[in-house]
């Protein structure tokens, strides 16, 4: 019985040690994960600054952010000195959404998602070409993907009148869905029904 | 003890009593169990069925042994079918096997299986009976995929498995009434050949060499000519068995559409006995026979039960959303779908077809094809995801084309050919009705958050040619406790809500 007790004690010690090691590794990973978004947002700010028109006046821009709790888009206004060309404006709106809400609403575009290129076709279709790495960053789900897509589409169409619809491409290619749910094979027109009835 | 039992909830007392008497209670219990076991040993039902193995170049069967509630397969037999056992060593209660590069160890009365030093757990213990090592059939999904390199398709509960390139075809069945008989149409997903035979007053349609996975095993018809159609491959030969309602009927089978449709006409022999024509026989009632032709045609011919297609999202390498502790969307929705299926079948009002078998990931078009070839009355897709902090919550979605405004005019004649990616458009109004019927039921459940119905560009609904909705339960995401979603009562409530909603939904299902 005593040898069994000894064995048990050793076993418990080993488990505790392993647990401590694991916890340490976990904390380390958590810290490095936390660092990512700030780095990404710093890059975002840099990219945004380069787009700002030199002497353009600040304009009020309305952005739509997802609320998974309510299943709606919440609007937020912010002052931006918008660029002269629509293509640059598309980039500016994208980056503003990527930077996130100042009022703590949900993030429509995950940190680390990169816009490779954007252009506006003559028929009013804005093409947003995301880097391949962006897809798995989006949270999978019918609700989450729908809100993410429409927060981008609605924000673009609301602030840039010449944008009538938005088509998403990944690495220059058409893809079937954003992350397993929402259909990306067609260009999106804005969905105004997603806004809350009482803002 | 009597008063404890009466009060019912004095759990502490019960545990205390159990602790105090556990030793003697254990001995007594064991004695009773052994006694009962010895008494019941001979009366125990010894059912014997076959399990069919579809291999790339062959097919084979093994006998299934039923012990208690569990189906068992002979371990060595299974391994020798899919490969070859190189060596084995048996000791008193342990079997060690060498199989290719693998070593496998099982013990009698033990759920644990050791494969190359990895420990795997079966649902029921391995048994050593009459000199034979038996494993519960979930060995096929727990252990076998790690032993063979070929892809395996196995649907839990089925008595067949497809290994390697034996990608199975499947089929949908429809009954049409003819003036002097009935027509059974079997639409296969890939072409096949067939041969017929008659035995014991039934017709047997042998389906050639293709591996076939039936989504349903038996189809009952409410019809004066044909009673049921059953799929059977118990001897390793896939076939359909057609049972006529009465004797004296004739069968005229034929393949159509390049071998993808098997049409079987069951006809009353025509009085002047011209017989040959099959399709023509239906219309050949001349003026002189008007009364006779009217007779059978006027018989009540209720169509077969409406088909409900249940689509468990994701599967295979696509796990979908993830919660804490390894809870995966693909498994959660498969669990819910099984409950919904059981609840729907219990009403005896519907046929139910699932879009995926086991842990596989059919693409969006394949899921729609299941619904469209089965002429589904209703299609429901199940998902789980982040729905915010109010958990448990159920969101109901209808399809919304990303391009917005559909120009579909319900009064205009339906075009002969519908574009595949617009198949849902004509059904949007019905889908909305179905969603409302379900939302109405869900809103009555005070402990579940729901509503409002949201139109969303859900890819899987796009090509479904039937009223279709998607359901998402939440929240399943890394920072929310998934326990409320795994709760069997929660899942059961969703199943009941769907049954009531389908009852209330008028239109597609009737
Ligand atoms: Zn999903």
């Amino acid at each position: 019985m005593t040898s069994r007790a000894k064995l048990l004690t050793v076993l418990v010690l080993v488990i505790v040690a392993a647990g401590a090691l694991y916890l340490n590794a976990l904390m380390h990973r958590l810290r490095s994960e936390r660092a990512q978004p700030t780095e990404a947002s710093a890059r975002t700010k840099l990219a945004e600054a380069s787009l700002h028109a030199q002497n353009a006046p600040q304009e009020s821009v309305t952005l739509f952010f997802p609320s998974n709790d309510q299943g709606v888009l919440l609007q937020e206004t912010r002052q931006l000195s918008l660029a002269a060309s629509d293509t640059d404006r598309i980039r500016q709106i994208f980056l503003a959404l990527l930077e996130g809400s100042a009022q703590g609403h949900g993030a429509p575009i995950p940190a680390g998602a990169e816009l490779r290129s954007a252009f506006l076709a003559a028929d009013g279709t804005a093409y947003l070409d995301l880097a391949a790495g962006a897809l798995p960053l989006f949270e999978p789900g019918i609700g989450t993907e729908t809100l993410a897509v429409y927060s981008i589409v609605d924000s673009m169409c609301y602030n840039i009148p010449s944008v009538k619809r938005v088509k998403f491409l990944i690495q220059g290619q058409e893809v079937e869905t954003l992350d397993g749910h929402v259909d990306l094979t067609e260009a999106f027109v804005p969905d105004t029904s997603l806004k809350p009835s009482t803002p | 003890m009597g008063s404890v039992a009466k009060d019912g909830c004095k759990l502490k007392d019960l545990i205390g009593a159990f602790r105090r008497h556990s030793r003697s209670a254990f001995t007594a219990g064991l004695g009773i169990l052994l006694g009962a076991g010895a008494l019941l040993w001979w009366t125990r039902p010894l059912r014997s069925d076959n399990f069919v193995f579809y291999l790339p170049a062959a097919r084979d069967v093994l006998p299934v042994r039923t012990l208690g509630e569990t189906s068992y397969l002979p371990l060595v037999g299974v391994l020798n079918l899919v490969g070859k056992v190189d060596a084995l060593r048996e000791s008193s209660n342990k079997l060690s096997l060498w199989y290719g590069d693998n070593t496998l160890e099982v013990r009698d009365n033990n759920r644990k299986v050791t494969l190359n030093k990895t420990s795997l757990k079966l649902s029921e213990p391995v048994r050593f009976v009459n000199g034979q090592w038996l494993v519960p059939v979930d060995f096929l999904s727990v252990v076998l995929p790690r032993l063979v390199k070929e892809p395996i398709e196995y649907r839990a509960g089925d008595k067949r498995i497809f290994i390697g390139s034996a990608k199975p075809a499947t089929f949908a069945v429809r009954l049409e009434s003819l003036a002097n008989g009935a027509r059974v149409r079997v639409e296969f997903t890939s072409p096949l050949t067939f041969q017929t035979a008659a035995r014991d007053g039934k017709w047997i349609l042998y389906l050639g060499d293709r591996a076939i996975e039936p989504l349903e095993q038996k189809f009952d018809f409410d019809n004066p000519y044909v009673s049921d159609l059953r799929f059977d491959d118990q001897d390793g030969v896939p076939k359909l068995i057609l049972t006529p309602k009465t004797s004296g009927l004739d069968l005229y089978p034929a393949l159509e559409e390049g071998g993808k449709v098997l049409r079987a006409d069951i006809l009353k022999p025509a009085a002047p006995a011209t017989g040959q024509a099959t399709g023509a026989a239906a219309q050949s009632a001349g003026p002189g026979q008007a009364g006779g032709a009217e007779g059978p045609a006027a018989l009540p011919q209720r169509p077969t039960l409406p088909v409900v297609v249940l689509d468990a999202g994701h599967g295979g390498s696509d796990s979908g959303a993830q919660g804490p502790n390894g809870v995966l969307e693909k498994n959660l929705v498969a669990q819910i779908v099984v409950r919904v299926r059981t609840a729907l079948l219990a009403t005896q009002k519907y046929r139910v077809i699932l879009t995926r078998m086991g842990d596989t990931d059919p693409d969006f078009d394949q899921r729609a094809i299941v619904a469209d070839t089965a002429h589904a009355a209703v299609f429901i897709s199940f998902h789980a995801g982040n729905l915010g902090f109010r958990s448990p919550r159920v969101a109901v979605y209808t399809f919304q084309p990303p391009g917005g405004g559909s120009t579909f005019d319900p009064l205009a004649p339906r075009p002969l050919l519908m574009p595949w990616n617009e198949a849902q458009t004509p059904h949007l109004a019905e889908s909305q009705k179905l969603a409302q019927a379900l939302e109405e039921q869900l809103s009555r459940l005070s402990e579940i958050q729901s509503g409002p119905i949201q139109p969303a560009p859900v890819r899987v609904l796009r090509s479904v040619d039937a009223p279709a909705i998607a359901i998402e339960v939440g929240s399943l995401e890394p920072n929310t406790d998934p326990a409320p979603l795994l709760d069997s009562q929660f899942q059961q409530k969703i199943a009941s809500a769907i049954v009531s909603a389908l009852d209330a939904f008028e239109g597609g299902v009737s």
Side-chain angles (χ1 to χ4, degrees):
Chain A
M1 260 326 203
T2 48
S3 70
R4 180 178 279 192
K6 263 186 208 158
L7 196 75
L8 215 71
T9 320
V10 171
L11 212 72
V12 166
L13 280 174
V14 166
I15 289 170
V16 167
L21 275 172
Y22 176 64
L23 217 68
N24 191 33
L26 210 68
M27 289 296 283
H28 190 78
R29 222 175 68 190
L30 213 68
R31 269 198 295 274
S32 62
E33 262 173 17
R34 282 254 174 80
Q36 263 181 357
T38 48
E39 193 191 309
S41 92
R43 241 188 304 141
T44 303
K45 284 216 169 83
L46 212 68
E48 202 175 333
S50 69
L51 283 171
H52 281 188
Q54 302 301 4
N55 299 314
Q58 297 251 308
E59 279 177 62
S60 178
V61 167
T62 303
L63 300 172
F64 298 92
F65 290 98
S67 161
N68 287 331
D69 294 332
Q70 299 167 54
V72 294
L73 296 174
L74 301 172
Q75 58 186 70
E76 190 176 310
T77 51
R78 121 175 11 171
Q79 299 298 313
L80 275 183
S81 30
L82 285 174
S85 90
D86 282 338
T87 317
D88 285 345
R89 288 182 178 204
I90 291 172
R91 275 187 170 281
Q92 280 182 303
I93 302 287
F94 184 89
L95 291 168
L97 288 170
L98 179 59
E99 202 188 313
S101 160
Q103 294 164 26
H105 304 319
I109 306 169
E114 193 194 326
L115 182 65
R116 290 173 77 231
S117 63
F119 68 96
L120 183 58
D123 71 342
T125 306
Y127 288 82
L128 301 186
D129 184 11
L130 302 175
L135 271 199
L137 300 173
F138 282 92
E139 187 169 17
I142 298 172
T144 49
E145 289 176 38
T146 301
L147 290 175
V149 160
Y150 281 114
S151 87
I152 299 170
V153 174
D154 288 13
S155 297
M156 296 288 171
C157 296
Y158 191 92
N159 296 294
I160 312 168
S162 49
V163 175
K164 302 292 179 222
R165 60 192 76 82
V166 175
K167 169 81 183 173
F168 292 90
L169 300 173
I170 306 295
Q171 212 70 31
Q173 303 286 316
E174 182 179 285
V175 293
E176 202 167 26
T177 63
L178 184 62
D179 200 0
H181 300 86
V182 161
D183 191 333
L184 294 191
T185 59
E186 208 181 314
F188 282 85
V189 295
D191 181 346
T192 47
S193 71
L194 283 169
K195 282 157 213 153
S197 41
T198 47
Chain B
M1 284 302 267
S3 74
V4 171
K6 213 185 279 171
D7 285 349
C9 57
K10 284 189 179 167
L11 196 63
K12 265 185 198 162
D13 297 5
L14 206 71
I15 291 170
F18 178 71
R19 283 219 178 110
R20 262 172 275 132
H21 301 291
S22 62
R23 253 185 221 152
S24 56
F26 179 72
T27 327
L30 198 70
I32 290 170
L33 268 176
L34 282 175
L39 273 177
L40 293 174
W41 184 257
W42 301 109
T43 60
R44 167 182 80 112
L46 247 180
R47 274 187 297 135
S48 169
D49 291 314
N50 280 335
F51 199 102
V52 190
F53 287 75
Y54 288 88
L55 304 158
R59 64 188 57 154
D60 230 315
V61 296
L62 283 175
V64 180
R65 294 280 301 271
T66 309
L67 303 176
E69 299 278 287
T70 312
S71 301
Y72 280 86
L73 287 169
L75 172 59
V76 179
V78 170
L79 294 179
N80 275 333
L81 267 189
V82 298
K84 191 178 163 296
V85 175
D86 297 315
L88 56 91
R89 189 172 63 211
E90 223 169 46
S91 63
S92 59
N93 69 339
K94 193 175 106 179
L95 175 72
S96 308
L97 282 157
W98 285 264
Y99 184 84
D101 303 330
N102 304 292
T103 52
L104 185 70
E105 243 177 53
V106 297
R107 282 159 206 277
D108 189 18
N109 275 320
N110 199 328
R111 287 166 55 196
K112 216 178 77 181
V113 173
T114 313
L115 174 66
N116 306 327
K117 289 173 186 156
T118 312
S119 179
L120 304 166
K121 212 165 210 175
L122 301 172
S123 63
E124 298 288 328
V126 171
R127 303 285 292 271
F128 183 64
V129 182
N130 296 337
Q132 214 178 20
W133 288 88
L134 301 174
V135 285
V137 284
D138 76 328
F139 178 87
L140 300 176
S141 47
V142 177
V143 184
L144 202 62
R146 295 161 184 260
L147 278 174
V148 296
K149 287 174 185 64
E150 294 97 343
I152 288 180
E153 204 158 309
Y154 167 62
R155 192 159 54 142
D158 266 2
K159 289 210 162 74
R160 61 185 67 81
I161 185 169
F162 302 91
I163 296 167
S165 55
K167 191 88 187 135
T170 189
F171 60 87
V173 174
R174 197 150 48 118
L175 184 78
E176 293 162 8
S177 54
L178 302 174
N180 58 338
R183 170 175 296 174
V184 176
R185 277 175 67 87
V186 189
E187 296 177 18
F188 292 87
T189 48
S190 38
L192 77 162
T193 58
F194 82 99
Q195 276 189 320
T196 53
R199 196 184 300 153
D200 304 332
K202 296 177 182 191
W203 292 302
I204 303 172
L205 305 155
Y206 291 98
L207 301 176
D209 284 332
R210 268 212 75 96
I212 291 168
E213 161 93 76
L215 295 172
E216 294 172 278
Q217 199 81 28
K218 190 163 179 257
F219 303 82
D220 289 306
F221 303 120
D222 188 2
N223 171 282
Y225 301 98
V226 53
S227 128
D228 65 77
L229 179 72
R230 193 159 59 80
F231 178 83
D232 176 86
D233 60 355
Q234 278 286 288
D235 53 359
V237 183
K239 52 190 153 324
L240 292 168
I241 300 170
L242 199 54
T243 310
K245 262 274 156 55
T246 58
S247 57
L249 296 172
D250 291 331
L251 174 74
Y252 299 97
L255 276 180
E256 289 179 342
E257 294 174 31
K260 283 183 87 165
V261 175
L262 173 59
R263 194 197 65 203
D265 289 353
I266 298 100
L267 302 176
K268 240 185 188 168
T274 39
Q276 285 290 337
T278 56
Q283 282 113 33
S284 71
Q289 288 181 302
E294 226 172 61
L299 278 171
Q301 293 244 358
R302 234 178 44 207
T304 55
L305 297 175
V307 175
V308 178
V309 173
L310 303 177
D311 173 53
H314 314 276
S317 59
D318 172 16
S319 302
Q322 305 195 3
N325 309 324
V327 177
L328 302 179
E329 178 185 0
K330 65 170 182 179
N331 297 331
L332 171 63
V333 294
Q335 226 174 50
I336 296 175
V337 159
V338 167
R339 286 188 199 277
V340 176
R341 174 175 189 263
T342 311
L344 284 172
L345 289 178
T347 65
Q348 301 197 344
K349 289 190 208 157
Y350 310 101
R351 287 162 57 206
V352 180
I353 295 180
L354 311 184
T355 54
R356 76 163 148 106
M357 308 158 204
D359 194 14
T360 57
D361 185 21
D363 65 32
F364 296 113
D365 285 343
Q366 286 168 326
R367 292 170 197 259
I369 285 169
V370 169
D372 296 351
T373 55
H375 304 280
V378 160
F379 178 93
I380 308 176
S381 185
F382 293 79
H383 290 265
N386 185 350
L387 295 177
F389 67 92
R390 291 179 297 161
S391 190
R393 190 175 147 200
V394 181
V396 180
Y397 303 92
T398 53
F399 180 68
Q400 163 165 289
S406 81
T407 49
F408 177 73
D409 174 8
L411 295 177
R414 214 180 146 171
L416 198 60
L417 291 171
M418 199 67 187
W420 172 249
N421 62 2
E422 288 172 25
Q424 176 57 204
T425 313
H427 299 285
L428 285 175
E430 286 291 291
S431 299
Q432 178 67 21
K433 257 168 86 178
L434 174 62
Q436 272 160 357
L438 179 57
E439 182 51 45
E440 158 84 26
Q441 294 298 323
L442 291 170
S443 65
R444 294 182 189 174
L445 303 170
S446 56
E447 61 286 10
I448 297 177
Q449 305 280 337
S450 72
I453 300 160
Q454 288 182 12
V458 185
R459 172 66 183 87
V460 74
L461 301 181
R462 180 162 202 147
S463 300
V464 176
D465 188 13
I469 56 172
I471 294 169
E472 192 165 45
V473 300
S475 275
L476 185 68
E477 57 98 29
N479 300 314
T480 305
D481 178 16
L485 307 180
L486 300 170
D487 178 42
S488 61
Q489 278 191 25
F490 165 74
Q491 297 183 357
Q492 207 52 52
K493 275 175 191 157
I494 294 182
S496 308
I498 289 173
V499 171
S500 310
L502 287 186
D503 283 347
F505 172 67
E506 290 167 349
V509 180
S510 55

